[in-house]
Amino acid sequence: MSLHPAGTPRGGAGPRRRARGRLRAAGVLALLATALLAGTPARAQAGPSPPPSGLPAPTQAAAAAAAPNPPPAGAAAAVELLCNLRTGEETRTLRVSPSPDALAAATATVADRFALRATLQSPADAPGQPAVAVVSVIDLESAGPPQPLAQGRWLLQGQAVLPADAPWAPLLTGWQRSYSPHLGRELAWGCAIVRAGATPAGWADADATLPLIVPPAAPGGATPRADAPRADTPRAAAPDAPATRPAAGSTVRLAWMGDVMLADGPGRIVARGGDPFAGVAGLLRQADLRIANLECVIATSGRAVDKPWTFRAHPRTLAVLKRHVDAVSLANNHSGDYGLQAFAEMLGRLERAGLPAFGGGGDLRAAHRPLILQRNGLRIALLAYNEMFPRAFEAGEQTPGIAWAEDEKIAAAIRAARAQADVVIPFLHWGQEHSPTAHARQRALARLMIRAGADAVVGTHPHVRQDTELIDGRPVIYSLGNFVFDGFSDADNNTGSILWMTVDRQGVVDWGLQAVTIDKQGRPTPSGR
């Protein structure tokens, strides 16, 4: 059994706001060896089962090629268990060989926050023929000894073996997700049975996403649009480079902003009668529709939840916000900073102010409902989703909160919005803080959204600008960076973008990024870069 680290975190110097303390892995493996996991409540799967029907086309092909294929008698270690893990940007891989010793587990840790512990158990009289795989997820951030979060068991008789030439797919387990109880951090993981020594393409990426297996819907249920090339085209040019095509009929010019935080420095400017948007106000007036991510709660009620960095802005900031922004996304990791009462108060204040919001609402359906705005005869549907902890901010069936980035819900909402609007654009809160490039999960989720029918995808959260990409001819801007935000010292954190985008009934006509520089008080001004 061996641990195969699949990558190290891409760093970037963080701002003074970001907590650096993490529990270290020293001594953890010794504790894991004594953890009583066998009786842990499990998300168990048992019995022979066919490959999951919800797998993407490449995975279905792999599953079809992999007939139930137990190893031949006497073939020691003919197969192994491969797993991969992701939390945020950090990934690890794990390889587990068969053993008759039920206590002989292999363990991989990721980001010093989670561990995956796995055994591939075989009978004593057939050591190379595994009969059951047991996988346990352990939380390393809990106080005291590491705590098991989940455990699954899979009987292997008749299970498919991933073909040697097939790309990676977690055929045995599918993609699983576990959440730490304190902050709600997410671990995504998946495992497959492979031939011993196999290293499938994509194994180390851990993109945690199953691409769509049905064609994307077009407006009115028609066939998918054919106005753009069907090819993935990464943009190697500078991130500010525009993309264009001829317009067809009426157009709408959109201005997208990144993270807008109106507490702290920006809030103090407003309290003194100032306007943190003043340096870009003239630019923003050139847009038909201005959209921002509201990275705080605007309220007077509630108490700060136990998490790194909480932001609550005074209601006086709302009038300033409405002056420069026409719609705000609430789907982020700070909307719930002061609890449900403050979030509900903010929903009421936004409604009374006449400032539309999306990606959050009074219950689960409201949070996932598209905001449809009309400009120049075009109906534009906006959706927003967050996948940065804590998931406790997610709306419930009868409780207010934000929309969580759950793949199936996103795809369904995009398809539904296509039937109601001319243009559909999701706004995502995702990615690794301070990383200038999108990671594999972002790229895979972007493909899912484009192929579900999105005309473009726009992102925030990393507090820096990230790269851009064309998928099936449609733009994906992974992160716009900060916009109105103080407390950062590094130049990349204090450089953001306005995304200018022109749309018509066929989708995006052109787009480009205009850089802004943010001063120590959190005020953006055009930088000309």
Side-chain angles (χ1 to χ4, degrees):
M1 298 170 227
S2 59
L3 173 63
H4 296 254
T8 55
R10 296 190 196 96
R16 64 173 173 82
R17 290 188 182 281
R18 296 291 171 249
R20 293 296 185 192
R22 288 183 177 176
L23 293 178
R24 307 309 303 169
V28 164
L29 299 185
L31 288 168
L32 292 176
T34 61
L36 299 177
L37 298 177
T40 303
R43 287 193 297 181
Q45 299 182 11
S49 59
S53 60
L55 295 174
T59 309
Q60 287 181 322
N69 196 5
V79 297
E80 295 175 315
L81 181 71
L82 288 191
C83 304
N84 59 8
L85 309 74
R86 168 178 293 280
T87 181
E89 187 182 45
E90 298 188 46
T91 64
R92 290 293 183 273
T93 60
L94 180 67
R95 185 185 297 275
V96 188
S97 300
S99 173
D101 183 356
L103 300 180
T107 302
T109 63
V110 57
D112 298 344
R113 293 177 177 139
F114 294 98
L116 199 74
R117 184 178 189 266
T119 61
L120 192 60
Q121 299 171 21
S122 57
D125 58 352
Q129 299 182 32
V132 62
V134 181
V135 181
S136 302
V137 179
I138 296 104
D139 174 25
L140 304 183
E141 287 193 307
S142 57
Q147 296 295 314
L149 295 176
Q151 185 181 77
R153 296 174 174 87
W154 287 264
L155 297 181
L156 302 182
Q157 181 63 39
Q159 290 284 3
V161 176
L162 190 70
D165 58 349
W168 166 255
L171 288 185
L172 179 65
T173 65
W175 282 112
Q176 305 290 324
R177 284 175 165 80
S178 299
Y179 298 89
S180 62
H182 175 48
L183 288 175
R185 297 186 194 273
E186 179 184 85
L187 174 72
W189 61 274
C191 301
I193 299 294
V194 303
R195 292 296 182 188
T199 56
W203 174 34
D205 291 339
D207 64 26
T209 309
L210 292 178
L212 296 182
I213 60 171
V214 296
T223 55
R225 289 176 173 169
D227 57 301
R230 302 291 295 177
D232 293 349
T233 310
R235 291 181 58 78
D240 294 348
T244 64
R245 69 165 173 80
S250 298
T251 62
V252 175
R253 195 178 196 206
L254 311 178
W256 297 82
M257 293 159 263
D259 294 338
V260 171
M261 193 282 298
L262 297 176
D264 298 349
R268 290 190 288 271
I269 292 172
V270 175
R272 296 193 298 267
D275 183 347
F277 292 87
V280 292
L283 278 175
L284 295 176
R285 281 194 293 269
Q286 299 173 26
D288 300 310
L289 183 58
R290 303 162 297 178
I291 307 155
N293 173 55
L294 182 57
E295 187 90 337
C296 61
V297 61
I298 297 179
T300 58
S301 62
R303 297 181 62 181
V305 302
D306 184 12
K307 64 184 286 285
W309 316 118
T310 54
F311 303 125
R312 181 177 60 181
H314 191 278
R316 70 170 70 92
T317 62
L318 191 51
V320 175
L321 181 65
K322 188 175 185 298
R323 190 182 308 152
H324 305 289
V325 178
D326 300 308
V328 293
S329 167
L330 305 181
N332 58 64
N333 60 315
H334 289 287
S335 288
D337 277 356
Y338 280 73
L340 292 181
Q341 182 182 359
F343 185 85
E345 178 189 338
M346 176 173 63
L347 291 177
R349 290 185 179 278
L350 289 168
E351 183 177 6
R352 289 190 296 273
L355 180 55
F358 59 105
D363 57 31
L364 182 66
R365 291 189 180 276
H368 285 264
R369 186 177 300 131
L371 172 64
I372 299 179
L373 300 174
Q374 190 159 330
R375 295 289 191 278
N376 301 338
L378 294 181
R379 296 165 300 165
I380 300 168
L382 303 175
L383 298 155
Y385 302 95
N386 174 55
E387 65 172 10
M388 179 63 183
F389 74 90
R391 190 162 184 175
F393 290 177
E394 182 182 15
E397 292 186 4
Q398 299 181 24
T399 53
I402 64 171
W404 189 261
E406 196 169 298
D407 299 7
E408 296 78 11
K409 289 185 175 69
I410 295 175
I414 290 172
R415 292 192 186 103
R418 283 246 63 96
Q420 305 172 60
D422 302 299
V423 177
V424 178
I425 304 177
F427 200 13
L428 271 289
H429 206 69
W430 59 359
Q432 183 70 22
E433 291 182 348
H434 321 304
S435 175
T437 56
H439 56 55
R441 162 62 177 171
Q442 290 172 271
R443 297 186 191 280
L445 183 55
R447 279 157 177 75
L448 181 146
M449 289 184 284
I450 292 295
R451 286 159 188 172
D455 292 291
V457 176
V458 184
T460 63
H461 172 67
H463 297 297
V464 296
R465 302 192 299 168
Q466 289 189 327
D467 57 321
T468 66
E469 186 174 8
L470 292 179
I471 300 173
D472 296 348
R474 302 178 190 185
V476 178
I477 295 82
Y478 285 105
S479 175
L480 296 176
N482 290 325
F483 194 72
V484 174
F485 219 127
D486 72 325
F488 294 89
S489 57
D490 295 337
D492 57 350
N493 300 126
N494 290 314
T495 304
S497 290
I498 300 174
L499 168 61
W500 295 101
M501 181 182 289
T502 305
V503 297
D504 63 11
R505 294 185 188 279
Q506 295 181 12
V508 176
V509 175
D510 59 50
W511 63 276
L513 294 166
Q514 180 173 6
V516 297
T517 300
I518 304 164
D519 68 13
K520 291 182 179 180
Q521 285 73 48
R523 298 173 295 193
T525 55
S527 64
R529 292 188 289 114

